Amino acid sequence: MEAQKSKKLGLKWFVVFVIPVIVYMMPMSERITSEMKWFFAITLWAILMFMFELLDNAVISLAMVFGYTLLKVVPMETALSAWTNTTIWMVFASLVIVNVVQKTNLLERVAYSLIIVTGGSYRGLLFGIATLCIIACLLVSSIMTAVATMAIAYGICRALRLDVGKAAGGIMLTAIICFTEATNFLYIPQGIGISASVVGVPVDYLTILKHNWVFIPLVYLMAFVISIVMKPDTPIGGREIFIEKKKSLGVMDIDEKKTLAVLLIIILFLFTNPWHGIDMTYGFIFGAVLLFIPHIGIGDSKDISNVNMGTIIFIASCMTIGTVGGAIGVGDLIAEATLPYLEGQSPYIFAALIWLIGVICNFFMTPMALMTVLGGPFASIATSLDISGYPVAYLLHFAGNNLLFPYENSVYLICFGFGLIFMKDFIKTGFIKMIVCLAYTLIIGVTYWQMIGLF
């Protein structure tokens, strides 16, 4: 057994170095420069390392970023420019906020209340989790809130004594899928925020909600689809369990009330951005600060030191892939190759092609790299075709959340890592999700975008 594991590990290490070398050996041309060859080789090496989980993601990220500079792909200041992006600091602040919120029972209290209201049946349970995802995404604007939501879903599975299989897998997949679909119409800095900043269109909570509120039903549609695809072999119903669990939490304590008050202040600041015009970064930063002020918040130094800097480094490195790719012309190269297929197309075909290109590229890039590499060039194409940059930003974000394998998106990988989903169920659900989301985007989303003048 040990020999077999060692052989498998050795094969993985062989693959992660041999494939990038083969890529680097491809011949140069007027369009494929030496810098591009090194970029493709280094980036592919990192993605394969992420996929096979051979080292910690932060270590791989550091090796990749400084590999770009060591091999003269870009100067040091270009490779490290992601750290001056406000998104990184919004992410850091949101992670601090998540750490503080997790010290309270706030999200658990909301989850149990919703499950009780929805009746406790399997489908009702999934609808309750879907609603929790929207509320959690609204209260704490961070992808890491998805991790907290998944942890609650995991706790629900354990409370129901569910092991790996359809019932538990459906609960976990609902938690991650419905959360990421909620980011279609609710602002988070790591999602549409990155995509919009690269495309060059201004966004705030109200703009995104105005453009994408039609995607709210998609959250519940996905919960319904999962209830069919992942239908348990035997019915489950645990309403009484959650009534007892909610009772065990007691009444809302002062820490929960103070935390909720600060979260509502942050939401108010972010939603009123169109009127006060202050950069949304300040909402995250000063919201985090409020949680640490004596007699107001409940934060302490541990909530800062417990921030996973590996996550920050990973996110920055994903943005770096896009920055470096843009600097050496990779995005323009892809845009030039796809331009003939995009010109003269109807809004529906244009949107479908952008979405499909994004989904395909997501097999080889992280979602953030996908958005930063393709965002600018595709926005230029949209402008030349008299199309707003907003649909490009939205479609690339949507594409990054449609995948077949866990390695394609780090939060989906975390969800899979809880160990309650079979790979075959993950792939099947992911494939059906792609079909449903593409159809919904074209039929509902693009039609609405045409009505409000984005196409």
Side-chain angles (χ1 to χ4, degrees), residues 274-401:
W275 293 282
H276 59 65
I278 302 171
D279 192 300
M280 287 192 290
T281 306
Y282 293 105
F284 290 90
I285 298 297
F286 290 113
V289 170
L290 272 177
L291 289 169
F292 286 80
I293 294 176
H295 309 301
I296 297 179
I298 62 169
D300 56 44
S301 58
K302 287 184 179 179
D303 297 316
I304 296 176
S305 60
N306 286 341
V307 169
N308 187 344
M309 285 306 297
T311 299
I312 303 290
I313 293 170
F314 175 72
I315 290 172
S317 72
C318 292
M319 294 176 67
T320 298
I321 295 174
T323 302
V324 173
I328 63 174
V330 171
D332 293 329
L333 187 68
I334 296 173
E336 285 178 18
T338 56
L339 179 58
Y341 303 98
L342 295 171
E343 286 183 317
Q345 300 290 0
S346 71
Y348 297 97
I349 300 299
F350 178 90
L353 288 173
I354 295 289
W355 189 91
L356 287 169
I357 292 166
V359 168
I360 292 168
C361 288
N362 200 42
F363 282 102
F364 312 103
M365 301 180 189
T366 63
M368 279 170 281
L370 153 73
M371 291 184 287
T372 49
V373 168
L374 299 182
F378 279 176
S380 297
I381 291 175
T383 301
S384 69
L385 300 176
D386 201 26
I387 295 171
S388 167
Y390 283 106
V392 172
Y394 300 148
L395 290 164
L396 289 177
H397 172 68
F398 298 172
N401 289 327

Side-chain angles (χ1 to χ4, degrees), residues 5 7-20 43-57 60 314 363 405-408 413 423:
K5 285 176 66 177
K7 185 177 179 181
K8 190 175 180 180
L9 181 62
L11 179 61
K12 288 179 179 179
W13 278 104
F14 177 78
V15 168
V16 299
F17 282 101
V18 169
I19 292 180
T43 306
L44 183 56
W45 171 84
I47 289 169
L48 289 170
M49 291 288 287
F50 291 141
M51 184 173 66
F52 291 136
E53 299 180 290
L54 293 174
L55 292 174
D56 185 88
N57 281 353
I60 301 166
F314 175 72
F363 282 102
F405 304 101
Y407 80 87
E408 295 179 58
L413 188 59
M423 179 61 83

Side-chain angles (χ1 to χ4, degrees), residues 197-242:
S197 66
V198 173
V199 169
V201 290
V203 292
D204 53 61
Y205 266 76
L206 289 183
T207 297
I208 292 172
L209 193 58
K210 182 178 74 174
H211 290 173
N212 292 334
W213 65 268
V214 292
F215 289 92
I216 294 175
L218 181 58
V219 175
Y220 294 99
L221 176 59
M222 283 311 310
F224 178 77
V225 169
I226 293 169
S227 73
I228 296 172
V229 176
M230 301 293 285
K231 184 178 180 181
D233 296 326
T234 56
I236 65 167
R239 189 169 185 269
E240 295 75 16
I241 293 175
F242 296 108

Side-chain angles (χ1 to χ4, degrees), residues 151-186:
I152 292 172
Y154 181 80
I156 290 170
C157 291
R158 285 291 170 253
L160 294 172
R161 295 180 174 82
L162 299 175
D163 204 352
V164 57
K166 286 192 177 298
I171 291 170
M172 295 304 296
L173 284 169
T174 300
I176 183 57
I177 288 174
C178 290
F179 189 94
T180 54
E181 291 309 304
T183 67
N184 291 354
F185 54 87
L186 293 174

Side-chain angles (χ1 to χ4, degrees), residues 2 39 178 204 255 278 349 367 416 422 452:
E2 280 299 319
F39 169 78
C178 290
D204 53 61
D255 285 348
I278 302 171
I349 300 299
F416 187 76
F422 286 120
I452 61 174

